[in-house]
Amino acid sequence: ILFNDMYDGEVFDATYCGAWEQAVLKDAPTGGLCPQTSPTDKIMEVLEPKSIEKQEDGSYRVDFGDYITGWTALKGFEAPAGTTIDIVHEAETGGNGVWRYVSDGKKADYAPRFTWWAFRHIVVKGWPGELKPGDIEARAVYTNLEKTGEFECSNPLINRIMHIWWRSETDNMHLGVATDCPHREKGPYTGDGEV
């Protein structure tokens, strides 16, 4: 992992694996270590692509059918060493960060570890060959809170509104606290809760 940041994304270069220079001894962080008191974030759902469209520039636009927070995962990705792919998680505004993977020439399953994105669609750039549904999946990630109730009725529109509301709540539940907009600010926020 050459770069990772909750806001700006992750860059993973598999060609560096096993090629690091000798580690350097550093002072440990100061301060007391305390346990997290809330449930952790985890993969709560897995979504397969609903459609994959090749664009004029050779990139692929993938639709997962639902707007989520989380990440995409490569499944059995294999390409010549040095092949670089970028995955852009589209959202209404910028600031969603980048995800870059550089292949070492070996078959690999890979997903980011230190960030999440808000998206329904992604654009995959630099994919060698044809991108197929089994090559990539979306993983919805949010705090593993207990679900205490459900609602369903005979009206499909009201059921859809309920689903959108539920998705909005889970998309904004990270690190054990309600957050602000999950694609840009990603920090704790109580304004909506107060309202």
Side-chain angles (χ1 to χ4, degrees):
I1 297 173
L2 302 183
F3 172 84
N4 71 72
D5 181 82
M6 185 169 73
Y7 296 94
D8 294 328
E10 182 170 307
V11 175
F12 182 89
D13 189 338
T15 64
Y16 277 86
C17 293
W20 295 103
E21 294 180 11
Q22 185 175 358
V24 176
L25 185 63
K26 293 289 186 182
D27 292 333
T30 59
L33 184 64
C34 58
Q36 180 171 321
T37 58
S38 67
T40 61
D41 283 15
K42 64 183 285 189
I43 298 167
M44 301 296 288
E45 305 165 68
V46 175
L47 285 70
E48 301 297 329
K50 299 290 184 194
S51 68
I52 299 175
E53 297 176 19
K54 190 165 189 177
Q55 308 296 297
E56 288 183 17
D57 64 359
S59 66
Y60 288 91
R61 188 166 192 267
V62 183
D63 181 358
F64 289 102
D66 209 352
Y67 192 94
I68 64 168
T69 57
W71 52 70
T72 48
L74 303 177
K75 295 163 49 180
F77 179 70
E78 191 170 12
T83 300
T84 300
I85 62 167
D86 287 331
I87 297 178
V88 179
H89 296 78
E90 293 185 327
E92 296 89 5
T93 62
N96 224 356
V98 67
W99 178 34
R100 177 170 291 155
Y101 181 85
V102 182
S103 174
D104 62 357
K106 299 174 186 166
K107 194 173 198 177
D109 293 331
Y110 187 77
R113 295 173 172 89
F114 300 107
T115 189
W116 72 85
W117 290 270
F119 65 98
R120 172 180 168 167
H121 303 97
I122 62 169
V123 175
V124 181
K125 299 177 180 180
W127 189 270
E130 181 186 355
L131 179 65
K132 300 185 204 93
D135 295 331
I136 198 162
E137 66 186 17
R139 296 176 178 172
V141 178
Y142 47 87
T143 302
N144 185 21
L145 295 173
E146 179 185 356
K147 194 172 185 181
T148 58
E150 293 191 30
F151 174 85
E152 187 176 357
C153 70
S154 60
N155 186 314
L157 176 60
I158 296 203
N159 289 335
R160 181 69 183 143
I161 291 169
M162 181 65 188
H163 175 76
I164 292 168
W165 170 84
W166 175 82
R167 182 66 78 192
S168 295
E169 292 298 309
T170 58
D171 282 351
N172 281 292
M173 185 57 64
H174 288 278
L175 310 172
V177 294
T179 61
D180 202 352
C181 47
H183 59 291
R184 183 180 68 240
E185 296 180 6
K186 299 185 180 180
Y189 181 66
T190 59
D192 293 337
E194 290 174 15
V195 171

